[in-house]
Amino acid sequence: MGVRRDSAVGEQGSDGGRESAKAAKGSPSKQPGKRAAGGKDAPAKTAAPSGRGSASGKRTASPAKKTAPAAKKAAPAKKAAPAKKAAASAKKAAPAKKAAAAAKRADPAAKSSTPAKKVAPIKKAPPPRKQLVAPKKATAAVQAAPAETVVEPAGDESRTALVRRARRINRELAEVYPYAHPELDFENPFQLVVATVLSAQTTDLRVNQTTPALFAKYPTPEDLAAANPEEVEEILRPTGFFRAKTKSVIGLSKALTEDFGGEVPGRLEDLVKLPGVGRKTAFVVLGNAFGRPGITVDTHFQRLVRRWRWTGETDPDKIEAAVGALFPKSDWTDLSHHVIWHGRRICHARKPACGACPIAALCPAYGEGETDPEKAEKLLKYEKGGLPGQRLNPPQAYLDAGGRPAPPLGAG
């Protein structure tokens, strides 16, 4: 009778067959019973006697079957503990997250608590500009402007927008200076043309203080044409460049006497032929002595129209043409007065009083001067600063507006 191998039992180890069961379960591809209790592969040649082999197989099979479920239950039990702890932690963490989210929804201020501290100083920055001594509309526009008062290029503004802004500036200035007038004292065209020639490189005030003595001694072109140059120089000395000016006023007096019968011509082409008379002087005479429109491009006018970006030209003739194209011809003379008056009183060359400017909202150069209202107010001149004007005999409208006449020469 041959030897029979029991595949269910294999070789029994010292643990009563438990090791064999585990080995069978862990390595299904291997034949059961090939691993011994020591964990080493052993040959499965030796078999128990036929009688005992079957009995032993039955005895060992039962414990192996009972042990296998126990091992299965034991293994998950060990793994379940960490899993339960993780689940419990997750359950505890979930309400905490929900509570935090609910707290954020319930208190929106908590989210913006940090930015709020940064935003507060930004809201407090504009107040210094609100103190501008200017109309409300001007103040509002200044607030909207960038903190940096950088002058924008003229190309950023359309032609239509430029015309509208320029004309609005003129209207605003007309309300500020309704009494604007030529600031040279004169009683006739001859006195006006002589005074305008003398005003070069000096103030109108100095000219007004000088011409009374000149016209008292030489009241007509014929008188001045026959005057002694040295005597005229002595009278004109306070105006500066008195020798050149003496030559000009005597020369133009001779031209008036010889070419125009002692009368000042009322045409531009005739006026510019007179010695010392250019387009600026001619337009002053035409606009104020004859009522013919003209633009007076003096140093104040040039400075302001460039600050306002009406033109970028520097040549007086080109400035005259560029600005004249923005306004109807009927506005030219008054426009000249408004711009020049504003340049002498508020928009000064070195330090403009931006904080006291009534057209600050319309000026792209706002901020070049003093923007503090109190400091800017101290920069105002003539009647705007409570000081005398430039004319010894100003128009009544100027006096009614609070203007004061200038003192005569030597009065202080």
Side-chain angles (χ1 to χ4, degrees):
M1 183 175 180
V3 178
R4 184 177 60 87
R5 294 181 181 180
D6 193 341
S7 60
V9 177
E11 292 186 1
Q12 181 178 358
S14 60
D15 58 349
R18 292 180 182 176
E19 186 67 23
S20 300
K22 290 181 181 179
K25 182 180 178 182
S27 302
S29 60
K30 296 181 181 180
Q31 294 181 357
K34 288 186 178 183
R35 292 185 63 86
K40 296 181 180 179
D41 292 339
K45 294 180 180 179
T46 306
S50 60
R52 294 180 181 177
S54 60
S56 301
K58 291 180 181 179
R59 290 193 191 101
T60 56
S62 298
K65 291 180 181 178
K66 291 180 182 179
T67 305
K72 290 181 181 179
K73 292 180 181 178
K78 292 179 181 179
K79 294 179 181 179
K84 287 181 180 179
K85 290 181 181 179
S89 301
K91 288 181 181 179
K92 291 180 180 179
K97 292 181 180 179
K98 292 181 180 179
K104 289 182 180 179
R105 288 195 298 269
D107 187 11
K111 296 180 180 179
S112 59
S113 58
T114 304
K117 295 180 181 178
K118 297 180 180 179
V119 174
I122 297 176
K123 292 182 180 179
K124 295 179 180 178
R129 294 184 179 176
K130 292 183 180 179
Q131 300 174 4
L132 288 177
V133 182
K136 293 182 179 178
K137 52 187 177 182
T139 305
V142 171
Q143 288 176 345
E148 298 179 17
T149 54
V150 180
V151 178
E152 297 181 356
D156 290 350
E157 189 175 35
S158 68
R159 176 71 180 179
T160 302
L162 172 60
V163 171
R164 290 176 178 174
R165 183 170 62 86
R167 294 186 181 185
R168 184 180 173 187
I169 287 177
N170 186 39
R171 291 194 300 270
E172 296 280 349
L173 294 180
E175 295 180 4
V176 177
Y177 311 106
Y179 44 79
H181 56 269
E183 294 194 87
L184 291 170
D185 284 324
F186 69 97
E187 296 178 357
N188 53 57
F190 170 66
Q191 291 185 359
L192 179 57
V193 69
V194 171
T196 306
V197 170
L198 296 178
S199 66
Q201 304 299 321
T202 190
T203 64
D204 288 357
L205 172 60
R206 182 62 66 187
V207 173
N208 292 334
Q209 292 174 333
T210 304
T211 52
L214 179 69
F215 295 141
K217 190 170 184 178
Y218 311 105
T220 65
E222 293 81 3
D223 296 330
L224 189 54
N228 183 343
E230 294 181 358
E231 294 178 0
V232 176
E233 287 178 1
E234 192 61 30
I235 296 174
L236 300 183
R237 187 180 294 273
T239 64
F241 303 96
F242 57 92
R243 290 188 178 90
K245 291 180 180 179
T246 296
K247 185 177 180 180
S248 294
V249 297
I250 291 178
L252 73 84
S253 298
K254 289 180 178 179
L256 291 175
T257 302
E258 297 172 1
D259 300 334
F260 300 100
E263 298 291 336
V264 177
R267 298 195 310 167
L268 176 64
E269 53 270 28
D270 293 332
L271 285 170
V272 294
K273 294 177 182 179
L274 300 175
V277 177
R279 289 181 66 88
K280 183 193 82 169
T281 300
F283 281 127
V284 171
V285 175
L286 290 174
N288 298 285
F290 295 96
R292 297 179 182 177
I295 295 178
T296 304
V297 185
D298 70 349
T299 55
H300 302 288
F301 193 94
Q302 292 182 46
R303 179 177 71 254
L304 267 62
V305 297
R306 284 197 294 269
R307 279 181 178 170
W308 296 336
R309 294 306 188 202
W310 288 4
T311 179
E313 299 290 347
T314 56
D315 181 73
D317 292 347
K318 293 181 179 180
I319 291 175
E320 176 196 328
V323 175
L326 302 176
F327 296 89
K329 199 171 182 179
S330 58
D331 291 349
W332 287 357
T333 300
D334 288 339
L335 169 69
S336 300
H337 291 324
H338 298 154
V339 175
I340 293 171
W341 275 58
H342 191 62
R344 287 174 174 171
R345 284 150 179 78
I346 297 178
C347 196
H348 311 135
R350 294 184 180 178
K351 198 170 185 181
C354 294
C357 181
I359 59 167
L362 303 172
C363 180
Y366 173 83
E368 287 187 6
E370 181 58 63
T371 57
D372 182 79
E374 296 182 359
K375 294 180 180 179
E377 190 174 358
K378 296 179 181 179
L379 300 175
L380 301 180
K381 295 182 179 180
Y382 304 113
E383 79 283 353
K384 290 299 179 182
L387 305 172
Q390 298 200 77
R391 291 190 67 167
L392 278 63
N393 300 302
Q396 188 61 42
Y398 180 72
L399 298 175
D400 294 341
R404 294 159 53 186
L409 187 64

